[in-house]
Amino acid sequence: MTLAHASAGLGLRRALLGALQDAPVDAFDFLECAPENWIGVGGRLGDTFAALAAKHPITCHGLSLSLGGPGPLDTEFVSRVGAFLDRYHVGAYSEHLSYCSDDGQLYDLLPIPFTDAAVRHVSDRIRRVQDQLGRRIAIENVSYYAAPHRALDEADFVNAVLDAADCDLLLDVNNVYVNAINHGYDPMAFLAAMPTARIVQYHIAGHYDEADDLKVDTHGAPVKDDVWALLDRAYALHGVHPTLLERDFNFPPLPVLIAELDRIRALQRVHAQRAPAHA
């Protein structure tokens, strides 16, 4: 199912299942889940997920492909993901520009070296995933706290992967802000360097202020004003696309989250009739 460009969604988390079931149908435009958290889930939880998927459009944002990992691509897992996407008529599937396995699952999203060799490695794996699924996927720019090797800067690395893989971009605006503070670059310049034609979705989230020069991407707090300003700028530069509010813990009452969605919708209305600053 294709989402309208001006749409705002919530992450489908188990702690929110009851509230999401009871919410008015127009409270949010779509729900996003990690497919590996729901593949093979049956019983009451599986029935609840199926009911929500029948009522609302579902997008998928994966955690386990390990696109930058050194081990073999798990093609059996890709097949299971593909079956899940087909079963629930999922129109958009994205993954992280990172890795999470090395002779076993590492349960974290670890940074890829910003090198030409890494561009070739990860773009080849993205192409293989797209070929196996028979669909384009999007990759997300990730937050990172150590940079193992930076022959390229982050924006050039992201663009090189997108071009070599011929895939789409899920632009995580909070990650741009967190990385800009932690690694000392201009977040507005990073946004401007992203390729408008490849952006298909945005993420926005809250983070933790450890210090003035250290931000932690937690998804456990309200979105901060500086990140809202970046989302506004992203819409101005690249146009309006479906935008997900990520919240993974410290859940407030659902109306508080809906209020943040309404703020996304308000920004989308402002920019929906404007052309991007560059196309």
Side-chain angles (χ1 to χ4, degrees):
M1 184 179 295
T2 303
L3 298 173
H5 285 282
S7 55
L10 279 175
L12 199 166
R13 306 294 184 258
R14 292 189 182 188
L16 291 176
L17 284 179
L20 295 176
Q21 283 182 293
D22 295 339
V25 70
D26 60 351
F28 41 84
D29 301 312
F30 65 97
L31 294 170
E32 182 194 84
C33 73
E36 48 269 74
N37 289 344
W38 294 97
I39 290 172
V41 174
R44 179 182 59 82
L45 284 174
D47 291 344
T48 301
F49 179 88
L52 285 168
K55 188 178 179 182
H56 304 283
I58 299 292
T59 64
C60 282
H61 186 51
L63 299 168
S64 305
L65 271 186
S66 199
L67 289 171
L73 184 68
D74 189 343
T75 56
E76 181 180 342
F77 172 68
V78 175
S79 293
R80 294 200 302 272
V81 169
F84 183 88
L85 302 180
D86 292 342
R87 177 181 178 183
Y88 293 106
H89 309 290
V90 176
Y93 174 49
S94 57
E95 251 287 358
H96 297 83
L97 186 55
S98 63
Y99 75 99
C100 60
S101 63
D102 182 9
D103 194 26
Q105 192 74 16
L106 299 174
Y107 300 102
D108 205 350
L109 299 172
L110 301 173
I112 303 170
F114 298 159
T115 64
D116 291 330
V119 169
R120 292 190 295 271
H121 176 70
V122 72
S123 62
D124 175 70
R125 289 162 75 90
I126 293 169
R127 283 184 173 274
R128 290 170 58 195
V129 171
Q130 292 187 140
D131 289 345
Q132 185 173 343
L133 292 177
R135 63 161 75 202
R136 295 176 69 84
I137 71 171
I139 58 168
E140 180 194 79
N141 56 298
V142 299
S143 58
Y144 58 97
Y145 306 93
H149 186 59
R150 287 188 284 190
L152 306 170
D153 68 26
E154 183 185 352
D156 288 343
F157 177 73
V158 171
N159 275 289
V161 170
L162 293 168
D163 288 343
D166 190 21
C167 65
D168 296 323
L169 174 64
L170 189 167
L171 182 56
D172 190 307
V173 176
N174 185 64
N175 288 353
V176 173
Y177 179 79
V178 166
N179 289 346
I181 297 297
N182 293 346
H183 301 287
Y185 63 73
D186 180 356
M188 296 296 187
F190 184 95
L191 285 182
M194 292 297 97
T196 298
R198 293 193 183 275
I199 295 171
V200 294
Q201 192 176 349
Y202 299 102
H203 275 184
I204 193 166
H207 60 265
Y208 176 68
D209 295 317
E210 178 70 29
D212 288 345
D213 59 353
L214 177 58
K215 312 301 179 184
V216 182
D217 179 37
T218 61
H219 301 175
V223 179
K224 296 184 183 291
D225 286 344
D226 286 342
V227 179
W228 285 116
L230 272 187
L231 181 64
D232 183 51
R233 183 58 179 159
Y235 286 163
L237 284 169
H238 304 298
V240 171
H241 294 283
T243 303
L244 182 90
L245 174 66
E246 291 187 291
R247 189 67 175 257
D248 291 345
F249 66 102
N250 288 339
F251 296 108
L254 188 63
V256 177
L257 297 178
I258 301 303
E260 288 195 288
L261 289 186
D262 288 342
R263 188 165 178 179
I264 292 172
R265 288 165 163 165
L267 283 175
Q268 290 178 333
R269 285 193 296 269
V270 168
H271 291 280
Q273 302 305 316
R274 299 178 183 175
H278 65 270

